[in-house]
Amino acid sequence: GGSDFDFTMRQIARWYDVIVVYEGKKPETSFAGKVPRTASIADVIQLLNVNNIKARLNERERKIIVTS
């Protein structure tokens, strides 16, 4: 299984060397906003939030926390 969202988040984790953590259930969304390779990690968080996916960055632990 796995959605576009899963795939995109795995890609982001690889590119930015971060861990993606889900609090609550994983968003059932197709994340249409494809992330450009040139985006900064802050851009990525903003893009998620614009797509109604609540995400924040824990820089110290290098984690993106996604809350549904």
Side-chain angles (χ1 to χ4, degrees), residues 22-67:
Y22 299 97
E23 287 179 355
K25 70 178 190 56
K26 212 173 276 192
E28 288 294 314
T29 180
S30 68
F31 183 49
K34 294 283 175 262
V35 180
R37 188 68 180 89
T38 53
S40 71
I41 192 79
D43 292 334
V44 171
I45 298 290
Q46 196 177 6
L47 195 58
L48 289 166
N49 287 321
V50 164
N51 282 273
N52 291 318
I53 298 157
K54 296 183 193 67
R56 65 182 190 274
L57 179 66
N58 180 331
E59 274 182 280
R60 197 168 49 82
E61 297 179 19
R62 298 203 61 77
K63 278 183 186 170
I64 293 175
I65 299 144
V66 178
T67 52

Side-chain angles (χ1 to χ4, degrees), residues 3-18 20 22 31 33-37 41 44 64:
S3 60
D4 294 345
F5 181 74
D6 263 336
F7 175 79
T8 303
M9 293 313 289
R10 279 200 303 272
Q11 199 174 41
I12 288 167
R14 249 197 337 269
W15 284 355
Y16 298 97
D17 189 28
V18 294
V20 178
Y22 299 97
F31 183 49
K34 294 283 175 262
V35 180
R37 188 68 180 89
I41 192 79
V44 171
I64 293 175

